[in-house]
């Protein structure tokens, strides 16, 4: 655990003007290139000029992928990309508020390479604009979503697949061509990836930047508006945007920075979690058919295979496995004000694929259908509070999908919900803490503190007009 303040004097000096410039972009409802009202037509046009098609196929039709005869693991013949293996997770003392299961097996994605998620920033008329890409991913519900300037695995940008070069990659891996605003390793989905990280980068360009097909310059205010629309801004964009520095709104937090770090350390120390990779063929209660690997109860998720055509990708056709959740998720922050200062309720979540036991997640991060069969006392904390929330208490709501390169139709209803003392007490249950958005934003500037679902909701807080009250 680093012995640093969330807002160090050195960082404050280095970023003195940056938060105000970010705020200026967030306040700009229109940009220099593309009007917000014209965005939907632009995205639709990018879909028409490119060939996109995704078809489900049986495992036997996967090209270059096969199940190992000994382990049952699903892997590519190149030894690159990723593998689907088994995972056995145990927690000695049992989960705290996460339901009754303290020992489970599941399929997991092992992808050790670190990818790059990078957004290029440039000023136009004194206002920072962000270079975003209309990118097709096979698992996206609507295929085409707004992605970062660069969204590439190491296999992509080193051209293991022998495809075209990744556009704009030279701004992120080549000689420095601008000012680094953010550069941090962040975790991927701990429930579906085994210890996977991506490099989240924001680089401010100097000099001219060519505008290529499928890319557009948008202000943060425009992106904030698009975050209110279902399945438009993809997960990779949301996680990078959460790393943007924000104006420091001052103190008033229930927990000081030192107290917050101590609480996080205590949560990591008290959970005795063991995650062991095992052969996929030995994972109990999961069955493999011709077209899917799924749980015998029909819950959680399934592993499927698809064939993809994408005319504007580095490789225009391929096959691959995808994880497909069963049911729509719910991801939510409960919010309250204490002495006039907004706070959100975070949860120290245990996920089998995390590098360091726990990361801070939303108050609620569950798929309700997975718990519908349980008695009320066994249902996850705060889930029913969120599901029963009336419209006048919902400050933000949109459906966002998860990373479409590995997950098929993985959607969550994302909410920010006002709470009161009866719903969420000032002294929360073990495993939960009230933090300010400013504290959470500062934590995201360091790796492996806030999970990907928490970063999505933080982007919705920071990049839109939504404020917790």
């Amino acid at each position: 655990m680093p012995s640093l303040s969330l807002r160090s004097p050195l960082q404050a000096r280095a970023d003195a003007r940056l938060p105000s410039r970010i705020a200026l972009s967030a306040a700009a409802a229109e940009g220099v290139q593309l009007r917000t009202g014209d965005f939907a037509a632009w995205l639709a046009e990018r879909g028409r000029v490119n060939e996109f098609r995704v078809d489900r196929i049986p495992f036997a039709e996967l090209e270059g992928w096969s199940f190992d005869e000994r382990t049952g693991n699903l892997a590519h013949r190149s030894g690159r990309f990723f593998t689907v293996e088994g995972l056995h997770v145990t927690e000695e003392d049992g989960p705290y508020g996460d339901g009754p299961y303290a020992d489970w097996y599941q399929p997991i994605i092992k992808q050790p390479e670190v990818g790059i998620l990078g957004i290029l920033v440039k000023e136009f008329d004194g206002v920072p604009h962000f270079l975003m890409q209309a990118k097709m991913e096979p698992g996206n519900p609507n295929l085409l979503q707004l992605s970062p300037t660069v969204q590439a695995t190491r296999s992509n940008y080193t051209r293991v697949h022998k495809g075209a070069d990744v556009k704009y990659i030279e701004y992120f891996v080549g000689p420095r061509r601008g000012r680094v605003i953010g550069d941090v390793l962040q975790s991927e989905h701990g429930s579906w990836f085994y210890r996977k990280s991506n490099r989240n980068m924001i680089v401010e360009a100097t000099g001219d930047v060519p505008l290529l097909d499928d890319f557009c310059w948008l202000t943060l205010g425009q992106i904030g508006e698009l975050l209110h629309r279902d399945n438009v801004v993809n997960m990779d964009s949301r996680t990078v945007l959460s790393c943007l520095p924000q104006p420091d709104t001052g103190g008033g937090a229930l927990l000081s920075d030192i107290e917050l770090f101590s609480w996080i350390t205590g949560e990591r120390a008290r959970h005795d979690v063991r995650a062991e990779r095992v052969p996929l063929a030995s994972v109990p209660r999961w069955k493999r058919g011709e077209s899917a690997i799924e749980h015998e109860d029909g819950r959680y998720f399934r592993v499927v295979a698809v064939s993809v055509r994408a005319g504007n990708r580095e490789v225009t056709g391929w096959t691959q496995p995808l994880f497909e959740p069963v049911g729509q998720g719910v991801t939510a922050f409960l919010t309250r004000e204490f002495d006039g200062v907004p706070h959100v309720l975070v949860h120290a979540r245990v996920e089998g694929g995390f590098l360091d036991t726990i990361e801070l997640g939303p108050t609620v991060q569950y798929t309700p259908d997975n718990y519908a069969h349980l008695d009320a006392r066994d249902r996850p904390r705060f889930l029913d509070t969120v599901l029963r929330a009336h419209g006048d208490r919902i400050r933000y709501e949109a459906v966002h999908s998860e990373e479409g390169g590995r997950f098929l139709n993985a959607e969550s209803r994302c909410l920010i919900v006002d709470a009161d003392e009866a719903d969420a007490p000032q002294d929360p249950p073990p495993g939960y803490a009230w933090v300010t958005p400013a504290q959470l934003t500062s934590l995201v500037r360091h790796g492996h503190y806030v999970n990907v679902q928490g970063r999505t909701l933080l982007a919705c807080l920071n990049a839109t007009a939504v404020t917790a009250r």
Side-chain angles (χ1 to χ4, degrees), residues 1-21:
M1 177 68 63
S3 57
L4 50 82
S5 168
L6 295 182
R7 292 171 293 278
S8 69
L10 180 60
Q11 177 183 336
R13 289 195 300 272
D15 297 341
R17 287 189 59 246
L18 190 55
S20 62
R21 295 174 61 227

PDB file of all heavy atoms in Angstrom, residues 1-21:
ATOM      1  N   MET A   1       0.837  -1.196   0.000  1.00  0.00           N
ATOM      2  CA  MET A   1       0.000   0.000   0.000  1.00  0.00           C
ATOM      3  C   MET A   1       0.871   1.245   0.000  1.00  0.00           C
ATOM      4  O   MET A   1       1.694   1.433   0.873  1.00  0.00           O
ATOM      5  CB  MET A   1      -0.879  -0.013   1.261  1.00  0.00           C
ATOM      6  CG  MET A   1      -1.755   1.232   1.415  1.00  0.00           C
ATOM      7  SD  MET A   1      -3.035   1.306   0.161  1.00  0.00           S
ATOM      8  CE  MET A   1      -3.941  -0.171   0.573  1.00  0.00           C
ATOM      9  N   PRO A   2       0.734   2.126  -0.997  1.00  0.00           N
ATOM     10  CA  PRO A   2       1.587   3.310  -1.038  1.00  0.00           C
ATOM     11  C   PRO A   2       1.277   4.263   0.097  1.00  0.00           C
ATOM     12  O   PRO A   2       0.131   4.462   0.469  1.00  0.00           O
ATOM     13  CB  PRO A   2       1.253   3.929  -2.405  1.00  0.00           C
ATOM     14  CG  PRO A   2      -0.035   3.320  -2.829  1.00  0.00           C
ATOM     15  CD  PRO A   2      -0.173   2.010  -2.135  1.00  0.00           C
ATOM     16  N   SER A   3       2.337   4.834   0.683  1.00  0.00           N
ATOM     17  CA  SER A   3       2.165   5.786   1.779  1.00  0.00           C
ATOM     18  C   SER A   3       2.091   7.185   1.203  1.00  0.00           C
ATOM     19  O   SER A   3       3.028   7.967   1.275  1.00  0.00           O
ATOM     20  CB  SER A   3       3.346   5.671   2.754  1.00  0.00           C
ATOM     21  OG  SER A   3       4.557   5.877   2.068  1.00  0.00           O
ATOM     22  N   LEU A   4       0.974   7.483   0.538  1.00  0.00           N
ATOM     23  CA  LEU A   4       0.815   8.788  -0.078  1.00  0.00           C
ATOM     24  C   LEU A   4      -0.592   9.278   0.155  1.00  0.00           C
ATOM     25  O   LEU A   4      -1.510   8.511   0.394  1.00  0.00           O
ATOM     26  CB  LEU A   4       1.138   8.732  -1.579  1.00  0.00           C
ATOM     27  CG  LEU A   4       0.489   7.641  -2.438  1.00  0.00           C
ATOM     28  CD1 LEU A   4      -0.916   8.044  -2.853  1.00  0.00           C
ATOM     29  CD2 LEU A   4       1.314   7.400  -3.677  1.00  0.00           C
ATOM     30  N   SER A   5      -0.726  10.591   0.092  1.00  0.00           N
ATOM     31  CA  SER A   5      -2.047  11.192   0.167  1.00  0.00           C
ATOM     32  C   SER A   5      -2.735  11.036  -1.166  1.00  0.00           C
ATOM     33  O   SER A   5      -2.102  10.920  -2.210  1.00  0.00           O
ATOM     34  CB  SER A   5      -1.932  12.676   0.518  1.00  0.00           C
ATOM     35  OG  SER A   5      -3.169  13.335   0.326  1.00  0.00           O
ATOM     36  N   LEU A   6      -4.053  11.017  -1.161  1.00  0.00           N
ATOM     37  CA  LEU A   6      -4.778  10.967  -2.414  1.00  0.00           C
ATOM     38  C   LEU A   6      -4.528  12.208  -3.255  1.00  0.00           C
ATOM     39  O   LEU A   6      -4.660  12.193  -4.473  1.00  0.00           O
ATOM     40  CB  LEU A   6      -6.283  10.824  -2.148  1.00  0.00           C
ATOM     41  CG  LEU A   6      -6.725   9.525  -1.475  1.00  0.00           C
ATOM     42  CD1 LEU A   6      -8.229   9.513  -1.323  1.00  0.00           C
ATOM     43  CD2 LEU A   6      -6.270   8.323  -2.268  1.00  0.00           C
ATOM     44  N   ARG A   7      -4.171  13.303  -2.633  1.00  0.00           N
ATOM     45  CA  ARG A   7      -3.943  14.553  -3.354  1.00  0.00           C
ATOM     46  C   ARG A   7      -2.624  15.138  -2.870  1.00  0.00           C
ATOM     47  O   ARG A   7      -2.582  16.000  -2.004  1.00  0.00           O
ATOM     48  CB  ARG A   7      -5.100  15.531  -3.094  1.00  0.00           C
ATOM     49  CG  ARG A   7      -6.412  15.063  -3.715  1.00  0.00           C
ATOM     50  CD  ARG A   7      -7.563  15.914  -3.254  1.00  0.00           C
ATOM     51  NE  ARG A   7      -7.836  15.746  -1.839  1.00  0.00           N
ATOM     52  CZ  ARG A   7      -8.547  14.750  -1.332  1.00  0.00           C
ATOM     53  NH1 ARG A   7      -9.056  13.842  -2.118  1.00  0.00           N
ATOM     54  NH2 ARG A   7      -8.755  14.658  -0.040  1.00  0.00           N
ATOM     55  N   SER A   8      -1.506  14.613  -3.404  1.00  0.00           N
ATOM     56  CA  SER A   8      -0.181  15.027  -2.959  1.00  0.00           C
ATOM     57  C   SER A   8       0.152  16.412  -3.481  1.00  0.00           C
ATOM     58  O   SER A   8      -0.320  16.824  -4.541  1.00  0.00           O
ATOM     59  CB  SER A   8       0.863  14.026  -3.449  1.00  0.00           C
ATOM     60  OG  SER A   8       0.989  14.110  -4.847  1.00  0.00           O
ATOM     61  N   PRO A   9       1.001  17.195  -2.763  1.00  0.00           N
ATOM     62  CA  PRO A   9       1.404  18.519  -3.248  1.00  0.00           C
ATOM     63  C   PRO A   9       2.079  18.460  -4.615  1.00  0.00           C
ATOM     64  O   PRO A   9       1.880  19.328  -5.451  1.00  0.00           O
ATOM     65  CB  PRO A   9       2.378  18.992  -2.158  1.00  0.00           C
ATOM     66  CG  PRO A   9       1.980  18.241  -0.931  1.00  0.00           C
ATOM     67  CD  PRO A   9       1.523  16.895  -1.419  1.00  0.00           C
ATOM     68  N   LEU A  10       2.893  17.408  -4.855  1.00  0.00           N
ATOM     69  CA  LEU A  10       3.559  17.290  -6.148  1.00  0.00           C
ATOM     70  C   LEU A  10       2.531  17.153  -7.270  1.00  0.00           C
ATOM     71  O   LEU A  10       2.613  17.808  -8.302  1.00  0.00           O
ATOM     72  CB  LEU A  10       4.497  16.090  -6.139  1.00  0.00           C
ATOM     73  CG  LEU A  10       5.272  15.820  -7.437  1.00  0.00           C
ATOM     74  CD1 LEU A  10       6.155  17.015  -7.780  1.00  0.00           C
ATOM     75  CD2 LEU A  10       6.109  14.558  -7.307  1.00  0.00           C
ATOM     76  N   GLN A  11       1.542  16.291  -7.058  1.00  0.00           N
ATOM     77  CA  GLN A  11       0.508  16.115  -8.067  1.00  0.00           C
ATOM     78  C   GLN A  11      -0.271  17.408  -8.256  1.00  0.00           C
ATOM     79  O   GLN A  11      -0.612  17.792  -9.366  1.00  0.00           O
ATOM     80  CB  GLN A  11      -0.443  14.982  -7.658  1.00  0.00           C
ATOM     81  CG  GLN A  11      -1.601  14.777  -8.632  1.00  0.00           C
ATOM     82  CD  GLN A  11      -2.545  13.703  -8.156  1.00  0.00           C
ATOM     83  OE1 GLN A  11      -2.186  12.829  -7.385  1.00  0.00           O
ATOM     84  NE2 GLN A  11      -3.778  13.780  -8.614  1.00  0.00           N
ATOM     85  N   ALA A  12      -0.559  18.097  -7.173  1.00  0.00           N
ATOM     86  CA  ALA A  12      -1.321  19.338  -7.259  1.00  0.00           C
ATOM     87  C   ALA A  12      -0.581  20.369  -8.095  1.00  0.00           C
ATOM     88  O   ALA A  12      -1.182  21.101  -8.892  1.00  0.00           O
ATOM     89  CB  ALA A  12      -1.596  19.871  -5.858  1.00  0.00           C
ATOM     90  N   ARG A  13       0.767  20.475  -7.925  1.00  0.00           N
ATOM     91  CA  ARG A  13       1.543  21.432  -8.707  1.00  0.00           C
ATOM     92  C   ARG A  13       1.564  21.040 -10.188  1.00  0.00           C
ATOM     93  O   ARG A  13       1.419  21.871 -11.078  1.00  0.00           O
ATOM     94  CB  ARG A  13       2.972  21.522  -8.174  1.00  0.00           C
ATOM     95  CG  ARG A  13       3.088  22.219  -6.841  1.00  0.00           C
ATOM     96  CD  ARG A  13       4.543  22.587  -6.561  1.00  0.00           C
ATOM     97  NE  ARG A  13       5.429  21.428  -6.524  1.00  0.00           N
ATOM     98  CZ  ARG A  13       5.666  20.711  -5.434  1.00  0.00           C
ATOM     99  NH1 ARG A  13       5.088  21.035  -4.280  1.00  0.00           N
ATOM    100  NH2 ARG A  13       6.496  19.680  -5.467  1.00  0.00           N
ATOM    101  N   ALA A  14       1.735  19.736 -10.463  1.00  0.00           N
ATOM    102  CA  ALA A  14       1.847  19.282 -11.846  1.00  0.00           C
ATOM    103  C   ALA A  14       0.536  19.467 -12.600  1.00  0.00           C
ATOM    104  O   ALA A  14       0.527  19.736 -13.803  1.00  0.00           O
ATOM    105  CB  ALA A  14       2.275  17.810 -11.876  1.00  0.00           C
ATOM    106  N   ASP A  15      -0.586  19.323 -11.909  1.00  0.00           N
ATOM    107  CA  ASP A  15      -1.893  19.340 -12.563  1.00  0.00           C
ATOM    108  C   ASP A  15      -2.658  20.621 -12.259  1.00  0.00           C
ATOM    109  O   ASP A  15      -3.891  20.627 -12.319  1.00  0.00           O
ATOM    110  CB  ASP A  15      -2.726  18.133 -12.118  1.00  0.00           C
ATOM    111  CG  ASP A  15      -2.099  16.804 -12.525  1.00  0.00           C
ATOM    112  OD1 ASP A  15      -1.252  16.808 -13.423  1.00  0.00           O
ATOM    113  OD2 ASP A  15      -2.463  15.795 -11.923  1.00  0.00           O
ATOM    114  N   ALA A  16      -1.992  21.692 -11.953  1.00  0.00           N
ATOM    115  CA  ALA A  16      -2.661  22.896 -11.477  1.00  0.00           C
ATOM    116  C   ALA A  16      -3.742  23.377 -12.435  1.00  0.00           C
ATOM    117  O   ALA A  16      -4.841  23.741 -12.005  1.00  0.00           O
ATOM    118  CB  ALA A  16      -1.626  23.995 -11.238  1.00  0.00           C
ATOM    119  N   ARG A  17      -3.450  23.408 -13.743  1.00  0.00           N
ATOM    120  CA  ARG A  17      -4.415  23.918 -14.703  1.00  0.00           C
ATOM    121  C   ARG A  17      -5.280  22.810 -15.311  1.00  0.00           C
ATOM    122  O   ARG A  17      -6.325  23.103 -15.905  1.00  0.00           O
ATOM    123  CB  ARG A  17      -3.684  24.646 -15.838  1.00  0.00           C
ATOM    124  CG  ARG A  17      -3.107  25.994 -15.465  1.00  0.00           C
ATOM    125  CD  ARG A  17      -2.600  26.727 -16.698  1.00  0.00           C
ATOM    126  NE  ARG A  17      -3.664  26.935 -17.672  1.00  0.00           N
ATOM    127  CZ  ARG A  17      -3.726  26.372 -18.889  1.00  0.00           C
ATOM    128  NH1 ARG A  17      -2.784  25.526 -19.263  1.00  0.00           N
ATOM    129  NH2 ARG A  17      -4.723  26.634 -19.708  1.00  0.00           N
ATOM    130  N   LEU A  18      -4.836  21.580 -15.193  1.00  0.00           N
ATOM    131  CA  LEU A  18      -5.505  20.497 -15.901  1.00  0.00           C
ATOM    132  C   LEU A  18      -6.959  20.285 -15.480  1.00  0.00           C
ATOM    133  O   LEU A  18      -7.849  20.201 -16.330  1.00  0.00           O
ATOM    134  CB  LEU A  18      -4.700  19.216 -15.762  1.00  0.00           C
ATOM    135  CG  LEU A  18      -5.133  18.042 -16.630  1.00  0.00           C
ATOM    136  CD1 LEU A  18      -5.170  18.426 -18.105  1.00  0.00           C
ATOM    137  CD2 LEU A  18      -4.195  16.869 -16.410  1.00  0.00           C
ATOM    138  N   PRO A  19      -7.261  20.219 -14.180  1.00  0.00           N
ATOM    139  CA  PRO A  19      -8.662  20.009 -13.806  1.00  0.00           C
ATOM    140  C   PRO A  19      -9.593  21.100 -14.325  1.00  0.00           C
ATOM    141  O   PRO A  19     -10.719  20.808 -14.743  1.00  0.00           O
ATOM    142  CB  PRO A  19      -8.618  19.978 -12.269  1.00  0.00           C
ATOM    143  CG  PRO A  19      -7.232  19.542 -11.947  1.00  0.00           C
ATOM    144  CD  PRO A  19      -6.375  20.166 -12.991  1.00  0.00           C
ATOM    145  N   SER A  20      -9.129  22.362 -14.323  1.00  0.00           N
ATOM    146  CA  SER A  20      -9.986  23.441 -14.827  1.00  0.00           C
ATOM    147  C   SER A  20     -10.190  23.316 -16.333  1.00  0.00           C
ATOM    148  O   SER A  20     -11.270  23.624 -16.855  1.00  0.00           O
ATOM    149  CB  SER A  20      -9.385  24.802 -14.475  1.00  0.00           C
ATOM    150  OG  SER A  20      -8.113  24.973 -15.078  1.00  0.00           O
ATOM    151  N   ARG A  21      -9.177  22.847 -17.043  1.00  0.00           N
ATOM    152  CA  ARG A  21      -9.329  22.634 -18.481  1.00  0.00           C
ATOM    153  C   ARG A  21     -10.280  21.471 -18.760  1.00  0.00           C
ATOM    154  O   ARG A  21     -11.083  21.516 -19.709  1.00  0.00           O
ATOM    155  CB  ARG A  21      -7.967  22.370 -19.128  1.00  0.00           C
ATOM    156  CG  ARG A  21      -7.017  23.567 -19.053  1.00  0.00           C
ATOM    157  CD  ARG A  21      -5.632  23.220 -19.583  1.00  0.00           C
ATOM    158  NE  ARG A  21      -5.692  22.822 -20.983  1.00  0.00           N
ATOM    159  CZ  ARG A  21      -5.086  21.763 -21.484  1.00  0.00           C
ATOM    160  NH1 ARG A  21      -4.375  20.951 -20.693  1.00  0.00           N
ATOM    161  NH2 ARG A  21      -5.167  21.480 -22.766  1.00  0.00           N
TER     162      ARG A  21
END
